[in-house]
């Protein structure tokens, strides 16, 4: 058993014999340029497998000596497929990743051949991006130890690698960048060993063995690369923009991870170029440049060393560039980075607030906006519609962040920002009058812009946590209700307005802040939107009602807490609207209405309140949906409705009187279980099993040894581990235990739980069968612990039986039991004999405990746990596939190299 | 070229264009907002309306007990409602040659113009415009004639009295010119003058100009007009729409390159997006029905109602309103619904293609078939026996002053469960509701105006590039109530020329060319000489013959040979002596070469002075001036004829003779 369990791990870490025997022929196939090549993915998978083997500590060379031959064959055959060549290069790199492997390959001069640039260029293969990326990735895998570094330096690979950094293929260029970063970062400790070693503590990986030689080599590499960065950072003409972009990316990568010596060295070399780049003011480079500057700034120590000051200066000039849109982006980048230098943060905040200030009228920045020297250029930019919208959106996206900056940094109290966003929303809807707004030429650009509306609503939603938000609640409600009422609001805008409303309701601890007029308006608008022509809007409205019910507020300070929908909408509006929505033509709306109803009623369920007529009506409608609705979503929602009802109920008091909602629930459960487990939709079935699980929990949680659904999963890893322990404890209490279990079991059978589980077990949908199987195992462990054995089953237990229908799942179960029976023909089991006697197509009655023991649940679980593609995913099948494919393709007519090779890695 | 503006209402225009020798009236819209000053005409006796108190002047000086009634603080005229007609004094309407109609809403004043004014011209309109226009007029006449009012209030119109009146009555303009509705006979007579045209059909007017209608996309058969001569083009844009509703889409490209574009009929609701309004309409309707109330939709019997019904057709199923009855009540309801189905060629492409299927273009046919939509000529008769509540009623008139809607207002106004939904943009809903106050019924205003909005029209004008734009003054500034919305106005370069009622505009372009035909034999006799490569000239002597605004050059008739007669007869008329024409000169006198020539001829003392148009040569010795200008050369030389002749010949040397 144990072996099968760890089976899946086995084939990753060690090479099993079967694979080892197939590998040589696979190598042969791959090396034969005449044969057609398997598709890219199988080579990738093969490589993944090899990587797995290497990482597990195995030596590829030892495990599969054939690979060496394979490599030299392929490398010497220029007619090889580029895909296979690329694969070979990467494989070689993988093998040279350990010093031993490297040494062996070098002794056989394989490395020199494989990574010989000239060789590939002469063969005309270098033009294939596939090969170039293979070369880079192969080298990168190799560069894990000082010997590799020497090899790299001595082979003069640094220049070609730098060239590849601006390769026409984006993938190659990016790989080259990663590789450059890897070299500098991986070996950076080498240099510190050479110097005084500033950062000895920070060692994480085992340091590469350091010699004076490697140290010198490393310095040469650093020098070479940083000189190159310095030289090429400034775009000579527009066409070179790509190069600058790449270098900035590399720099950002390096600066974020470099230790002090490397970082200082880099900064010393490139600072000047960076300064130049900032003054050049190239829009496309703004963001990557900002990334570099911020990375440099955050890594430089606050001890006031010279590079730190210079970087700060660059940052300052970045925050005063001329192009207003770029400036906004730069400022936003600074804030996003969570930079904590107050001077720059304050400046960034001002920059980001300025456009908002211009549009909504001067309130945010005080009267001295003229001091912002770029005011004029911002206004000019805002006058053009496209740049206006994009700038405003950048500003809005950052407003929540802005309100979180320390008070000293903000030019105004955070609450004014809320006011500004609200005014902007007013302007956007065209309702703001001229007196309160700012520049009218700018305002007209945002009137009716859906994009700005959405951004502003998102900002407003996030601003609910900003200090002082509470005093703005009435204003915010007014604008949101206005948006909800506006006939021109598109469905997304309405959705976001609802979201904002829910968030802002949470802000008010005291609902008296919201006037009666506002409440009335909200009721009207919600009623209207519940009848909207667009189903998305109806859906959002129904969802909103549900969310509202989930928010608890107090009506006035200190008073009793109730849910927000009752407090805001007066309670008389929600349920009728949701009931209406149950009839909606759109299934999503019906589904949302059902879950919203569940949320609305949760409170009364928890209180154990008496059943209302409304509730009974809803329940019968829900059962109707479960049995008749043609769409899956509403049916799923119905089952979940009952789950949450059950859950809310059971967390409180047990069923008391027959008029309580709980008794209705228990009546419904049987129907839900039988309808739900016969549903066509697998998710409905899974939810039904979840309900069954709750019933099991309820029945048996009081019994020792019963594991609730939540712990069941971890238990499954060791199906027998716990049981033996349990069996022991159970044994001592057999008498009383069995009786209690028996009555509980009888109730569970009566509720239809067992039927639901059994029908789930034979379901063709794996998740359903799996869930059912797990639950059945849990049940079996509770009612008939193993150690008691079949013979020890008490008579009491044996009396609890359930019906198996003569068709469908019942028949299926009967069949399985029949097979089991014939296996155990020798056993004399009276109850079982009795159970199987009536095979005339009618309902059979079987003993539950017997069924549980006879279904070989553990074997089933074993099969069900494995993913459906587990057979196809093994390395063995991969190797077999390659061989079969090649055999099938080796047709006299097939010419090699006819397939189109796509640049996709 | 002149434009006389007879109406100040931007969507109900009435303009007269004098172009070449023709006088063309562009639309004749009837401003019916005047009826809002009158009391509603109830179909069934209304105790409430009849008990309204008379208005009494505060100081008691005026007594108009019978004419003015007061309701909820507003004063109404208790009389047959009257309409505000287009200006009739600005020019003599009998001189109008043709009237071009753009759509059925813009022709309601037609009988006032064509009857009793001496009008003798022709009216041009498309077939749906004529037919639906007829329906609307017929409906109007029936609404009025069904409930005749004995008295006609006129005293309140007295200027002295009107000045003392409160509210909107005081400010009403030209009340003396307001007229009661026309009769069916006048309608028939007016419509008999209509000549039908199809889109892009070219109609010659007296040979002077050509007019042709273009699809405008606003309503069935609605059109814009192109009025052009050989060298000038005027585009008249009236109610147009770019939305895909039922009519054929708007033809924009034919409007290109006009000298003047007269722009009227933009949306009256620039801030109300028709889609949003339609959504609003549907959700309010559903909300009311669900709550057990009735919905009243005051509307015209044609136009947006087709789109409303189509939208509802899709909506009622999804909103579970399948069992709610929809009633359409109008004297012309049946004809309107049926007409819409037969004008296939005037419909949008989508609907046109349905004509080839066994399926009517509009889904309201199916609503009627399944009994979901029922139509009746009035509330009397069948309707009263089939009437079921809650229901939705579509009925006119949208002003709420006459028609069956008045009855429903009285019937449903008292209950807060019912809703009235305004969809027509022509009337302020608050004014429309004024005589029904206090009102418990819920009111929803969702005006659906599919005409061009300012954004669309700016884009359109950018594309069609007219040299000049003429438009109502209302379009040149933001709406009064939203002065901050600078996006709700026309901003053009050069700025548009605004007009108001009674404006007379001189359109800013001069006619510079006229086409003249030349007869073949005359053309044959011409001797062209090339004056520069590709350009030849010839002199023509001919007789210009003008008839029907066509101009033809004919050969000069030879004098008839004198018949040999022995009788001595006094020659009555000398045959015209045809003199050999003097040669025409062309070319320019080059200054340098001319000075050189003068020098050769011994004239050396020349002072050259540069002027704005050329040069003046001052021959100081002889006290003579030679002015060389672009279009003339003058030699000022007194008392020295030989010198003058010499100089003339020298000048002539440089010129070409034709």
């Amino acid at each position: 058993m144990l072996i099968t369990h760890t089976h899946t791990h086995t084939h990753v870490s060690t090479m099993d014999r079967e694979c080892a025997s197939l590998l040589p022929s696979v190598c042969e196939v791959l090396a034969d340029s005449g044969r057609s090549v398997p598709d890219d993915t199988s080579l990738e998978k093969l490589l993944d497998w090899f990587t797995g083997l290497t990482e597990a500590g195995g030596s590829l060379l030892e495990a599969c000596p054939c690979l060496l031959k394979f490599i030299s064959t392929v490398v010497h055959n220029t007619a090889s497929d580029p895909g296979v060549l690329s694969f070979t290069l990467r494989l070689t790199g993988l093998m040279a990743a350990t010093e031993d492997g490297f040494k062996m390959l070098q002794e056989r001069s394989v490395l020199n051949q494989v990574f010989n640039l000239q060789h590939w260029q002469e063969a005309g293969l270098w033009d294939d991006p596939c090969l170039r990326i293979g070369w880079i990735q192969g080298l990168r895998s190799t560069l894990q130890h000082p010997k590799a570094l020497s090899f790299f330096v001595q082979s003069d690979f640094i220049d070609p690698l730098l060239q590849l950094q601006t390769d026409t293929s984006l993938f190659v260029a990016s790989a080259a960048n990663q590789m450059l970063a890897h070299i500098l970062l991986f070996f950076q400790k080498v240099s510190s060993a050479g110097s005084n070693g500033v950062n000895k503590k920070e060692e994480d990986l085992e340091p590469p063995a350091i010699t004076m030689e490697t140290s010198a080599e490393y310095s040469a590499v650093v020098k070479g690369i940083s000189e190159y960065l310095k030289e090429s950072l400034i775009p000579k003409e527009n066409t070179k923009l790509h190069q600058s972009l790449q270098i900035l990316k590399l720099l950002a990568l390096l600066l974020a991870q470099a230790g002090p010596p490397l970082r200082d060295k880099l900064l010393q070399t490139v600072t000047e170029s960076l300064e130049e780049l900032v003054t050049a003011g190239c829009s496309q480079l703004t963001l990557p440049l900002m990334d570099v500057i911020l990375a440099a700034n955050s890594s430089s120590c606050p001890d006031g060393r010279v590079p730190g000051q210079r970087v700060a200066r660059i940052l300052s000039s970045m925050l005063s560039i001329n192009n207003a849109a770029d400036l906004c982006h730069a400022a936003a980048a600074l804030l996003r980075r969570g930079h904590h230098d107050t001077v720059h943060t304050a400046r960034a905040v001002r920059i980001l607030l300025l456009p908002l200030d211009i549009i909504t009228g001067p309130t945010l920045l005080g009267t001295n906006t003229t001091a912002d020297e770029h005011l004029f250029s911002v206004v000019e930019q805002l006058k053009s519609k496209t740049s206006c919208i994009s700038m405003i959106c950048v500003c809005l996206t950052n407003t929540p962040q802005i309100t979180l900056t320390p008070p000293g940094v903000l030019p105004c109290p955070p609450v004014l920002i809320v006011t500004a966003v609200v005014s902007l929303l007013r302007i956007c809807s065209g309702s703001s009058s001229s007196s309160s707004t700012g520049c009218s030429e700018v305002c007209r650009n945002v009137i009716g812009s859906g994009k700005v509306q959405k951004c502003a609503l998102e900002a407003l939603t996030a601003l609910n946590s900003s200090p002082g938000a509470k005093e703005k609640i009435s204003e915010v409600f007014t604008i949101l209700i206005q948006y909800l009422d506006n006939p021109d609001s598109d469905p997304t805008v309405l959705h976001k307005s609802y979201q904002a409303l829910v968030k802002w309701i949470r802000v008010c601890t005291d609902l008296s802040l919201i006037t009666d007029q506002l409440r009335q308006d909200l009721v009207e608008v919600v009623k209207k939107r519940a009848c909207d022509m667009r189903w998305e809007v109806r859906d959002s409205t129904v969802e909103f009602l549900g969310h509202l019910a989930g928010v608890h507020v107090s009506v006035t300070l200190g008073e009793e807490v109730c849910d927000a929908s009752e407090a805001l909408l007066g309670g008389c509006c929600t349920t009728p609207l949701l009931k209406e929505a149950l009839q909606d033509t759109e299934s999503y709306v019906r589904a949302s209405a059902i879950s919203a109803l569940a949320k609305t009623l949760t409170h009364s369920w928890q209180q154990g309140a008496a059943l209302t007529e409304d509730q009974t009506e809803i329940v019968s409608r829900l059962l109707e949906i479960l049995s008749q609705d043609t769409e899956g979503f509403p049916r799923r929602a119905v089952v979940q409705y009952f789950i949450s009802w059950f859950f809310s109920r059971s967390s409180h008091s047990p069923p008391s009187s027959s008029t309580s909602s709980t008794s209705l629930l228990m009546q419904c459960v049987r129907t839900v279980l039988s309808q739900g487990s016969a549903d066509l939709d697998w998710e409905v079935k899974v939810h039904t099993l979840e309900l069954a699980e709750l019933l099991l929990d309820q029945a048996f949680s009081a019994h020792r040894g019963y594991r609730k659904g939540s712990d069941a999963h971890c238990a499954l890893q060791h199906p027998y581990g716990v049981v033996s322990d349990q069996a022991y404890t159970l044994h001592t209490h057999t008498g009383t235990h069995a009786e209690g279990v028996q009555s509980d079991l009888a109730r569970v059978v009566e509720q239809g739980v067992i039927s639901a589980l059994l029908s789930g077990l034979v379901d063709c949908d794996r998740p359903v069968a799996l869930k059912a199987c797990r639950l059945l195992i849990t049940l079996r462990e509770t009612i008939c612990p193993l150690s008691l054995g079949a013979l020890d089953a008490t008579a009491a237990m044996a009396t609890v039986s359930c019906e198996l229908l003569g068709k469908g799942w019942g028949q299926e179960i009967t069949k399985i039991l029949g097979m089991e029976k014939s296996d155990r023909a020798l056993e004399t089991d009276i109850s079982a004999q009795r159970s199987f006697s009536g095979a005339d197509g009618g309902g059979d009655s079987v003993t539950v405990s017997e069924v549980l023991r006879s279904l070989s649940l553990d074997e089933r679980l074993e099969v069900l746990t494995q993913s459906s593609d587990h057979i196809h995913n093994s390395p063995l099948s991969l190797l077999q596939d390659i061989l079969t494919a090649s055999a099938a393709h080796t047709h006299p007519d097939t010419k090699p190299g006819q397939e189109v090779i796509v640049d996709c890695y | 070229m002149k434009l006389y503006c007879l109406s100040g209402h931007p969507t109900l225009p009435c303009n007269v264009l004098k172009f070449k020798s023709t006088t063309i009236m562009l639309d004749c819209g009837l401003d019916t907002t005047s009826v809002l000053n009158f009391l509603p005409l109830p179909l069934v006796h209304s105790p409430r309306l009849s008990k309204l108190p008379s208005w009494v002047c505060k100081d008691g000086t005026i007594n108009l007990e019978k004419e003015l009634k007061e309701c909820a603080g507003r004063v109404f005229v208790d009389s047959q409602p009257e309409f505000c007609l287009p200006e009739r004094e600005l020019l003599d309407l009998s001189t109008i040659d043709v009237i071009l109609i753009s759509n059925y809403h813009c022709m309601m004043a037609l009988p006032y113009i064509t009857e009793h004014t001496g009008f003798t011209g022709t009216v041009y309109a498309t077939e749906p415009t004529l037919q639906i226009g007829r329906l609307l007029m017929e409906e109007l006449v029936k609404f009025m004639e069904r409930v005749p009012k004995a008295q006609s209030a006129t005293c309140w119109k007295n200027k002295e009295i009107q000045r003392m009146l409160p509210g909107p009555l005081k400010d009403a303009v030209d009340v003396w010119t307001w007229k009661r509705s026309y009769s069916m006979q006048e309608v028939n007579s007016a419509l008999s003058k209509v000549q039908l045209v199809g889109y892009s059909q070219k109609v010659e007017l007296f040979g002077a100009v050509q007019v042709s209608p273009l699809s405008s996309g606003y309503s069935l058969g609605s059109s814009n007009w192109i009025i052009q001569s050989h060298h000038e083009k005027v585009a008249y844009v009236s109610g147009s729409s770019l939305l895909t509703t039922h009519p054929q889409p708007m033809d924009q490209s034919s409007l290109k390159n006009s000298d003047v574009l007269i722009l009227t009929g933009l949306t009256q609701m620039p801030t109300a997006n028709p889609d949003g309004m339609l959504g609003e309409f549907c959700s309010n309707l559903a909300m009311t029905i669900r709550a057990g109330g009735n919905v009243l939709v005051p509307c015209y019997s044609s136009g947006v109602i087709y789109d409303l019904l189509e939208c509802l057709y899709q909506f009622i199923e999804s909103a579970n309103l399948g069992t709610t009855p929809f009633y359409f009540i109008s004297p012309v309801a049946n004809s309107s619904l049926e007409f819409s189905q037969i004008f296939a060629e005037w419909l949008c492409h989508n609907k046109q293609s349905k004509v080839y299927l066994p399926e009517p273009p509009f889904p309201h046919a199916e609503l009627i078939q399944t009994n979901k939509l029922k139509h009746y000529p009035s509330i009397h008769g069948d309707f009263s026996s089939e009437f079921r509540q809650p229901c939705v009623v579509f009925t006119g008139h949208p002003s709420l002053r006459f028609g069956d809607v008045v009855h429903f207002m009285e019937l449903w106004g008292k209950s807060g469960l019912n809703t009235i939904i305004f969809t027509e943009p022509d009337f302020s809903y608050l004014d429309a509701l004024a005589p029904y106050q206090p009102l418990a019924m819920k009111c929803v205003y969702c005006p659906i105006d599919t005409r061009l909005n300012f954004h669309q029209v700016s884009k359109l004008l950018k594309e069609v590039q007219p040299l000049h734009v003429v438009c109502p003054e209302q379009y040149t500034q933001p709406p009064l109530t939203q002065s901050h919305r600078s996006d709700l106005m026309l901003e053009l370069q050069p700025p548009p020329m605004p007009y108001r009622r009674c404006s007379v505009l001189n359109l800013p372009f001069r006619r510079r060319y006229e086409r003249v035909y030349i007869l073949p034999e005359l053309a044959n006799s011409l001797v062209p000489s090339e004056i520069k490569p590709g350009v030849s000239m010839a002199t023509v002597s001919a007789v210009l013959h003008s008839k029907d605004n066509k101009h033809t050059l004919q050969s000069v008739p030879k004098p008839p040979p004198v018949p040999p007669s022995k009788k001595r007869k006094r020659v009555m008329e000398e045959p015209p002596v045809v003199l050999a024409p003097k040669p025409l000169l062309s070319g320019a006198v080059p200054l340098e070469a001319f000075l050189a020539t003068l020098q050769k001829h011994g004239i050396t003392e020349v002072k050259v002075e540069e002027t704005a148009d050329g040069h003046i040569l001052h021959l100081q010795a002889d006290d003579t001036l030679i002015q060389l200008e672009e279009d003339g050369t003058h030699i000022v030389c007194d008392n020295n004829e030989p010198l003058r002749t010499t100089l003339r010949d020298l000048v002539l040397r440089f010129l070409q003779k034709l």
Side-chain angles (χ1 to χ4, degrees), chain A residues 192-356:
Chain A
S192 46
S195 68
N196 286 331
V198 186
N199 247 18
K200 278 268 163 73
K201 288 169 277 178
E202 287 181 11
E203 328 285 80
D204 37 4
L205 290 163
E206 71 267 39
I210 300 148
T211 62
M212 284 310 279
E213 194 191 354
T214 34
S215 174
E217 275 159 352
Y218 179 72
S219 309
V221 171
V222 172
K223 190 158 182 287
I225 294 179
S226 46
E227 282 302 317
Y228 166 79
L229 295 183
K230 183 187 172 185
E231 290 305 311
S232 328
L233 192 54
I234 313 292
K236 308 290 178 293
E237 59 227 68
N238 257 347
T239 47
K240 290 282 178 73
L241 220 55
H242 173 58
Q243 188 172 16
S244 306
L245 208 64
Q246 281 294 96
I247 291 177
L248 287 173
K249 277 187 200 160
L250 176 59
L251 269 175
L253 214 61
L254 286 170
L255 289 172
Q257 292 175 46
L262 175 59
R263 190 197 58 221
D264 292 351
K265 173 85 183 118
L266 279 172
L267 280 179
Q268 267 164 15
T269 332
V270 298
T271 310
E272 212 164 297
S273 301
L274 283 177
E275 275 164 353
E276 202 175 322
L277 207 53
V278 171
T279 33
C282 186
S283 289
Q284 283 132 298
L285 298 180
T286 309
L287 277 183
L289 183 56
M290 199 61 193
D291 277 345
V292 171
I293 295 171
L294 290 172
N297 197 46
S298 60
S299 65
S300 64
C301 310
D303 56 9
R305 283 180 307 171
V306 182
Q309 283 170 1
R310 269 188 95 174
V311 168
R313 222 171 38 231
I314 298 179
L315 188 56
S316 305
S317 41
M318 207 50 199
L319 289 180
S320 51
I321 46 176
N322 256 333
N323 183 320
D326 292 345
L327 195 59
C328 253
H329 283 292
L334 182 110
L335 277 193
R336 267 201 305 277
R337 271 275 185 156
H339 186 76
H340 292 305
D341 139 39
T342 42
V343 179
H344 287 126
T345 311
R347 171 133 189 87
V349 166
R350 271 194 94 81
I351 290 170
L352 285 170
L353 288 181
L354 187 58
L356 214 53

Side-chain angles (χ1 to χ4, degrees), chain B residues 158-283:
Chain B
N158 183 309
K159 261 191 190 149
E160 291 309 308
I161 295 178
Q162 196 200 352
R163 230 179 30 188
M164 322 271 294
L165 300 180
L169 270 183
K170 188 171 76 178
D171 309 315
V173 286
D174 294 334
V175 289
W176 277 108
T177 65
W178 289 11
K179 283 271 178 301
R180 302 175 66 154
S181 167
Y182 31 72
S183 68
M184 206 54 217
Q185 191 194 351
E186 286 166 315
V187 169
N188 286 333
S189 167
L191 295 183
S192 69
K193 297 177 174 101
V194 175
Q195 182 127 18
L196 295 182
V197 282
Y199 287 148
S200 302
Q201 182 186 333
K202 293 189 167 71
V203 179
E204 284 274 325
L205 301 186
F206 319 113
V209 293
Q210 209 178 44
V211 296
S212 79
L214 307 171
S215 171
S216 78
Y218 168 56
S219 59
L220 276 180
S222 69
S223 35
N224 293 322
W225 291 86
I226 294 291
I227 302 138
Q228 59 186 342
S229 66
H230 294 298
H231 300 288
E232 298 92 11
K233 179 174 175 180
V234 177
Y236 173 56
V237 173
S238 185
S240 303
S241 174
L242 291 172
L243 299 177
T244 16
T245 54
H246 57 275
Q248 236 188 64
M250 179 180 177
D251 177 355
Q252 301 178 59
S253 59
S254 306
L255 297 173
K256 273 186 188 160
N257 307 319
S258 11
D259 298 284
V260 173
L261 187 142
I262 303 166
L263 180 68
T264 67
L266 299 188
T267 176
Q268 302 185 74
M269 294 289 141
T271 52
N273 163 27
D275 280 330
M277 288 300 140
L278 209 54
E280 202 78 343
F281 172 78
C282 286
S283 39

Side-chain angles (χ1 to χ4, degrees), chain B residues 63-84:
Chain B
N63 188 1
L64 291 171
E65 207 176 293
K66 286 196 171 151
E67 293 197 351
L68 299 179
K69 303 274 177 191
E70 197 172 342
C71 176
R74 294 249 317 234
V75 177
F76 297 93
V77 181
D78 186 11
S79 170
Q80 188 91 13
E82 294 178 338
F83 307 117
C84 177

